[in-house]
Amino acid sequence: MSGKIAIVGAGPSGCYLAQSLLKAAPDLEVDLIDALPVPYGLVRYGVAADHQGTKAVTRQFARVFERQGARFFGCLRLGDDVALEDLRAAYDAVVLATGMPVDRPLGIPGDDLAGVFGAGRLTRALYDHPDAETLPELGAHPLIVGNGNVAIDLLRLLAKDPDELAGSDLGAGPTDWLAGAGIESLTITGRSPAAAAKFDPVMIKELAKLGGVSIDVVGTGASDEPDAVKTLDALASIAGHGSGARNVTFRFGLTPAEVIGSQGQVRAVRFTSDAGDETIPCTSVLTAIGFDADPDLPRDALLESATDAGAGALAPGLYATGWFRRGPRGTIPENRADAQALATHILDDLTADPAKPGRAIFEGRTGLVDYDGWCRIDAAETEALPEGRCRAKITTREEMTRLASKGVTTG
Amino acid sequence: MNISILYGTETGNAEMLAEDIQSELEGDHDVSCQNLSDVDPMSLVPEHLYLLVCSTYGDGELPASAQPFAEAMEAAKPDLSAIHFAIFGMGDSEYDETFNHGPKRLAELMLAHGATQIGERVAHDASGPEMAEDLAFPWAEEIISQAEERLGAAA
């Protein structure tokens, strides 16, 4: 089967989709387009720096380019560098796999105070995303709002001693920042009761490996429901863990009502709960309560008018997969399953129009990074490793694109 | 030798390794490679050596694609006493408490239904320095030589 397919977003969902499409129909022209000079999206910039095993999926994705023939077009941002209409005109099918990059705000009074930071903003900075803002002062007592895996990742990283980051790819800047952050306590709050907390139990059990902390788990309650039992057992397994100087406290059933500040700076969060109001003092508020779509893409309108939103079919020749379709929930395997189902759907629909130019519309464009360019960046990041690190990420777009074009003669 | 590689996967890493093992072995043997989700435990045959490649998921559970196979096995209770298998596990020592529990469960299930395991269950660690295939290829060769001795020319 022939046909030209553009996937916007070279993160795990996009890569899995390309893999599935090319497995079923090896003659397709599949192009993965990304705003960044580098592929793999949240595997590179969202999966925690100390979860290198999870990042092993990139070996599969490399093969999508190296053996299955997908092409990478980095530094092409949808909207700015290429319009969606132009992509749809050039390709037989276009798939939006751009994820959900924007931190969902708390939506309560005071959520704009200095010292309130979204988890995406923080993790992008921690993982050296080239567009990240700087790492902020968190003070001695950060409070994390949210009970998903993102919240636990953030908690774990902030709770780690420097030697516990051995083998990670946490960069030099973030490593120094973390060592000097002066965190004395971390409180993590969830709106749900513990039994309904969204984190995976295995993420909780992992915290029992932390050496510099003492962990308190307050007010977990009980449940007979099997999934809840696993969650509660995991929490019970870490309750009272450690006698380190850094205290970690889990709290549940707390709905944030107001971020309280003075002189424009966070001082506390007031919560409502079944037991009445409670105010917890803190030096910063880290929100990990979900993500929203890039405001430059009309996600809501596209999903509302979709021909079959559940299947990821937005309009003739236009599809969505991964977090962009389902919302910011689900781990890498769920996005794989989603991509596999969508690949079947696209191949059922596909009618190739040989007159469509496909990737030819990018010919002559300068400043793009292709897969070979990424390989040069990858080589630079892994050839001279700092002590205790498995990768030293290049942190700026300029340096990435310079490395990507190194040794390449143009014209 | 007739070799059937059966994989249980969640992220696709075990599938990729299973395909790599197939490519590595198919010069010398008759090798097939299938997802466990497509395999009926009643259909296993004594003439084949089964190489299982299986990951772990969540809290030490079987990966999604191995679960229907496990459920079918528990429901149908096949007699696997003539079946020979070996198993290669994929895990992540970041989660050390449940490291390689998925393949352990799968091996136990096979053994409980009478199958004979050849060799030790080998485990790759995604957080370790080695590539899965660097462990898996020598493992497969060793298993095959043991199986050739045991099964003889029949296989």
Side-chain angles (χ1 to χ4, degrees):
Chain A
M1 180 186 276
S2 67
K4 302 179 184 81
I5 300 175
I7 300 169
V8 185
S13 292
C15 288
Y16 274 129
L17 179 64
Q19 180 187 56
S20 290
L21 285 168
L22 288 164
K23 199 161 197 174
D27 294 331
L28 291 176
E29 286 179 30
V30 178
D31 295 338
L32 281 149
I33 293 168
D34 206 284
L36 287 174
V38 293
Y40 309 147
L42 280 184
V43 176
R44 183 173 161 94
Y45 292 119
V47 171
D50 59 345
H51 277 175
Q52 291 298 317
T54 306
K55 295 183 191 246
V57 291
T58 56
R59 292 196 68 212
Q60 290 182 59
F61 302 158
R63 289 197 181 180
V64 174
F65 298 106
E66 291 171 10
R67 298 194 190 173
Q68 292 185 281
R71 296 266 298 267
F72 177 63
F73 291 85
C75 292
L76 255 183
R77 186 177 154 81
L78 187 66
D80 293 350
D81 304 313
V82 61
L84 182 56
E85 302 74 63
D86 294 342
L87 273 184
R88 291 183 70 187
Y91 286 87
D92 297 307
V94 174
V95 186
L96 299 175
T98 52
M100 300 283 270
V102 179
D103 284 305
R104 186 167 295 165
L106 280 170
I108 57 172
D111 69 356
D112 55 349
L113 282 167
V116 180
F117 307 106
R121 178 219 191 282
L122 285 173
T123 50
R124 276 191 290 275
L126 274 168
Y127 306 149
D128 284 317
H129 189 293
D131 302 340
E133 297 171 64
T134 53
L135 281 161
E137 279 278 316
L138 299 183
H141 307 287
L143 183 144
I144 300 172
V145 178
N147 263 181
N149 288 339
V150 173
I152 303 300
D153 272 342
L154 203 51
L155 175 76
R156 188 186 63 255
L157 281 162
L158 294 178
K160 279 197 165 180
D161 287 335
D163 61 349
E164 292 174 320
L165 292 158
S168 75
D169 64 0
L170 196 72
T175 298
D176 290 347
W177 173 85
L178 199 53
I183 294 170
E184 293 170 19
S185 79
L186 286 155
T187 303
I188 177 166
T189 67
R191 206 168 46 173
S192 311
K198 290 199 176 65
F199 44 61
D200 287 322
V202 70
M203 296 278 289
I204 296 298
K205 290 184 184 173
E206 188 186 356
L207 301 176
K209 289 198 286 183
L210 294 174
V213 299
S214 56
I215 301 179
D216 291 325
V217 182
V218 180
T220 47
S223 173
D224 297 330
E225 198 269 318
D227 279 344
V229 168
K230 284 183 188 171
T231 302
L232 295 177
D233 284 353
L235 286 166
S237 77
I238 59 159
H241 164 78
S243 53
R246 191 172 292 143
N247 179 259
V248 173
T249 305
F250 279 81
R251 298 290 311 271
F252 301 95
L254 294 174
T255 302
E258 181 188 4
V259 182
I260 299 165
S262 63
Q263 287 138 15
Q265 175 69 36
V266 167
R267 301 290 174 215
V269 178
R270 181 172 62 81
F271 295 91
T272 59
S273 78
D274 290 346
D277 279 18
E278 179 174 349
T279 299
I280 302 179
C282 60
T283 54
S284 54
V285 177
L286 321 183
T287 63
I289 55 167
F291 298 95
D292 291 325
D294 185 334
D296 294 346
L297 276 174
R299 177 173 181 265
D300 292 346
L302 286 168
L303 288 177
E304 235 161 67
S305 63
T307 40
D308 185 352
L314 300 177
L318 184 65
Y319 304 87
T321 192
W323 276 13
F324 187 84
R325 179 181 79 75
R326 297 198 319 280
R329 284 169 301 279
T331 52
I332 287 170
E334 285 168 69
N335 290 311
R336 175 173 178 262
D338 202 20
Q340 289 179 332
L342 181 63
T344 307
H345 192 100
I346 292 173
L347 292 170
D348 284 347
D349 285 354
L350 194 69
T351 18
D353 174 359
K356 297 227 176 194
R359 60 183 62 134
I361 60 166
F362 304 125
E363 254 167 44
R365 285 228 193 189
T366 54
L368 302 188
V369 174
D370 61 7
Y371 183 75
D372 289 340
W374 154 243
C375 290
R376 287 185 281 273
I377 298 169
D378 186 39
E381 290 185 340
T382 50
E383 70 190 357
L385 292 175
E387 175 78 26
R389 293 293 180 269
C390 63
R391 174 180 294 275
K393 283 184 194 162
I394 308 298
T395 60
T396 66
R397 285 173 179 264
E398 293 70 30
E399 181 66 359
M400 287 175 184
T401 47
R402 189 189 69 77
L403 284 162
S405 58
K406 206 174 163 186
V408 178
T409 47
T410 50
Chain B
M1 179 172 269
N2 280 312
I3 297 170
S4 292
I5 303 170
L6 310 180
Y7 61 85
T9 195
E10 183 98 22
T11 64
N13 290 340
E15 178 177 359
M16 181 170 84
L17 178 65
E19 289 170 355
D20 284 355
I21 297 172
Q22 180 183 25
S23 308
E24 179 72 10
L25 300 179
E26 66 193 355
D28 300 325
H29 304 278
D30 197 354
V31 192
S32 67
C33 184
Q34 267 184 295
N35 192 331
L36 275 169
S37 63
D38 301 328
V39 177
D40 175 357
M42 302 295 282
S43 71
L44 305 185
V45 294
E47 296 76 25
H48 283 217
L49 169 64
Y50 290 93
L51 298 183
L52 309 181
V53 179
C54 182
S55 63
T56 300
Y57 207 69
D59 200 12
E61 287 134 40
L62 284 175
S65 95
Q67 284 177 13
F69 180 81
E71 283 158 20
M73 185 110 89
E74 272 158 5
K77 305 202 183 331
D79 173 12
L80 302 182
S81 55
I83 305 299
H84 289 80
F85 76 99
I87 185 161
F88 187 92
M90 298 180 76
D92 186 345
S93 63
E94 283 293 340
Y95 310 103
D96 52 356
E97 197 191 326
T98 54
F99 180 62
N100 264 289
H101 279 207
K104 183 163 172 269
R105 281 182 194 210
L106 185 60
E108 285 167 358
L109 201 58
M110 296 289 289
L111 293 168
H113 290 84
T116 304
Q117 183 172 351
I118 296 180
E120 295 295 308
R121 181 165 54 83
V122 169
H124 174 255
D125 176 11
S127 288
E130 280 165 310
M131 295 293 175
E133 58 271 28
D134 293 343
L135 269 184
F137 293 173
W139 165 83
E141 295 293 353
E142 170 61 25
I143 294 297
I144 290 167
S145 73
Q146 287 187 32
E148 278 168 341
E149 276 175 36
R150 284 227 228 161
L151 306 182

